[in-house]
């Protein structure tokens, strides 16, 4: 008797993933957030395609069996982790590797744009105003990149190509990576402070008024990690009081950013809608990654990108 094919439950988003390669090898069941809790007990695998949803955190503690494997189409896992999932035997994987270089390129673009005052140039063009200014040279500046995972390392490589001297800060010190105890010292010397860390209990709100206070008045802050890494009120204060020169945020505590948020009008702040890792074809790449992982899982082979559920990220980097 042929064994039944595994059931893959997809917490869907628009557009849905292309999973045609799994035809005949998996039963694909799609659900929205409202139907997730009822469908979880019958699923062998959960694909969190709607990586902005927090529905998994709410639905997971319910009764009945739970999927043996959960994959999220994102680098961060804080949106789905809950104590019950962390304590379970379920394997959690993420989309590590898909966003590394696109985010690094986006950070490099922001560094160049801020150094060359491109936001002001575009404003002046709209005003039909000819105003000559002097721009900053990027080569020879210093960057402190916080987050030593694949994304942080890709940022370091890309900034080095621009001639930027970089320091990488991780959870623990090791060869080529500074520990948290060096962060204040490195931030105080940096022209660019880039947040690319995962969101954990230790990193929540780590960029606060004190941290912005140690930065140079000429320095710029960039966050491509998670919104909750930053005390947004403290950042507004740092910019309006000119403790720092400028900032760019691609992630926020509340997304989408509300229309009445003061962040839209803070002088010196570039706001982008969580797009630093999203390049043409990125959804297809995420779908192909899941299919490859599924093939390994179905064959009983070890999965890459396995998240340490207690730490909240993939260890070993």
């Amino acid at each position: 008797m042929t064994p039944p094919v595994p059931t893959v439950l997809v917490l869907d988003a628009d557009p849905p993933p292309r999973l045609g390669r799994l035809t005949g090898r998996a039963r694909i069941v799609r659900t929205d957030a409202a139907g997730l809790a009822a469908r979880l007990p019958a699923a062998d695998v959960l694909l969190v395609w709607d990586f902005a949803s927090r529905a998994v955190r709410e639905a997971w503690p319910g009764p009945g069996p739970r999927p043996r494997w959960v994959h999220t189409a994102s680098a961060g896992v804080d949106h789905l982790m809950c104590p019950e999932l962390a304590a379970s035997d379920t394997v959690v994987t993420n989309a590590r590797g898909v966003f590394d270089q696109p985010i690094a390129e986006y950070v490099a673009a922001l560094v160049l744009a801020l150094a060359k005052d491109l936001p002001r140039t575009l404003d002046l063009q709209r005003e039909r105003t000819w105003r000559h200014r002097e721009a900053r040279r990027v080569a020879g500046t210093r960057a402190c990149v916080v987050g030593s995972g694949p994304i942080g390392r890709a940022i370091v490589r890309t900034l080095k190509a621009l001639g930027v001297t970089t320091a990488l800060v991780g959870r623990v010190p090791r060869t080529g990576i500074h520990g948290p105890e060096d962060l204040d010292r490195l931030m105080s010397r940096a022209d660019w402070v880039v947040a690319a860390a995962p969101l954990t209990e230790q990193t929540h709100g780590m960029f606060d008024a004190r941290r912005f206070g140690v930065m140079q008045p000429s320095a710029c802050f960039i966050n491509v990690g998670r919104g909750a890494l930053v005390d947004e009120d403290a950042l507004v204060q740092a910019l309006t009081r000119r403790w720092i020169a400028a900032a760019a945020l691609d992630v926020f505590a509340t997304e989408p950013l509300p229309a009445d948020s003061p962040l839209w009008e803070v002088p010196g702040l570039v706001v982008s809608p969580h797009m630093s890792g999203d390049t043409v074809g990125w959804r297809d790449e995420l779908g192909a990654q899941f299919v490859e992982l599924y093939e390994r899982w179905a064959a009983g082979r070890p999965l890459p990108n396995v998240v340490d559920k207690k730490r909240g990220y993939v260890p070993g980097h």
Side-chain angles (χ1 to χ4, degrees), residues 214-227:
V214 305
M215 292 175 63
Q216 301 181 80
S218 59
C220 300
F221 175 78
I222 297 171
N223 186 16
V224 290
R226 306 297 285 175

Side-chain angles (χ1 to χ4, degrees), residues 226-280:
R226 306 297 285 175
L229 298 175
V230 177
D231 181 334
E232 292 176 348
D233 291 337
L235 178 60
V236 170
Q237 177 179 257
L239 288 166
T240 54
R241 295 185 180 181
R242 298 185 179 180
W243 293 354
I244 62 176
L249 300 180
D250 186 56
V251 287
F252 301 86
T254 300
E255 296 183 4
L257 187 64
D260 60 354
S261 171
L263 293 172
W264 289 108
E265 298 182 351
V266 176
L269 177 61
V270 176
V271 170
S272 60
H274 203 148
M275 60 179 283
S276 62
D278 302 346
T279 52
V280 176

Side-chain angles (χ1 to χ4, degrees), residues 203-217:
T203 62
H204 191 284
M206 67 183 298
F207 296 100
D208 54 14
R210 187 188 66 78
R211 285 259 160 77
F212 291 125
V214 305
M215 292 175 63
Q216 301 181 80

